[in-house]
Every structure is written in structure tokens, then in C-alpha cells.
């Protein structure tokens, strides 16, 4: 068994895992910011807030 090669491989795997977690964290942050911006845009686009919340139906 080649101990130095195994150690290097394990170190590279750990680095790869850390990079993956960091990238996923950035993706989640971006998704959160995008959803917040979209909610603000939807609120600003609503001309009459609450329109359509209540519907009267006559039979």
C-alpha cells in the first residue's frame, strides 16, 4: 500500500468536498437573493393589492 499516494488522494477528495460545499452555499445564497428580488418585483407590479382575494358567486 502506497501511504503517500493514499494521503494525497484523501487530501484531494477533502478539498473537492469543501469546494462543492462552498459552491452549493453560493448557489443557495444566489437563489435566495433572486427569490427576494422577484417577490419585491411582484409586490411592486400589483396595482391593486388584494384584488381577487374574495369572489362573490351568485347561483
Amino acid at each position: 500500500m502506497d501511504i503517500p499516494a493514499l494521503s494525497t488522494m484523501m487530501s484531494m477528495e477533502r478539498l473537492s468536498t469543501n469546494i462543492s460545499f462552498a459552491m452549493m452555499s453560493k448557489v443557495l445564497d444566489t437563489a435566495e437573493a433572486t427569490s427576494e428580488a422577484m417577490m419585491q418585483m411582484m409586490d411592486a407590479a400589483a396595482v391593486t393589492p388584494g384584488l381577487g382575494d374574495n369572489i362573490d358567486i351568485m347561483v
Side-chain angles (χ1 to χ4, degrees):
M1 178 180 271
D2 189 13
I3 301 297
L6 181 61
S7 175
T8 301
M9 185 176 70
M10 289 176 63
S11 178
M12 290 174 63
E13 286 296 324
R14 187 177 315 122
L15 176 64
S16 176
T17 301
N18 289 342
I19 290 172
S20 295
F21 281 135
M23 291 283 292
M24 185 57 74
S25 176
K26 291 291 184 182
V27 167
L28 289 173
D29 290 344
T30 302
E32 183 178 327
T34 302
S35 65
E36 287 177 9
M38 187 175 291
M39 291 296 290
Q40 289 175 354
M41 183 179 65
M42 289 173 62
D43 286 342
V47 177
T48 309
L51 182 65
D53 286 346
N54 299 316
I55 301 174
D56 292 331
I57 299 175
M58 298 177 70
V59 179

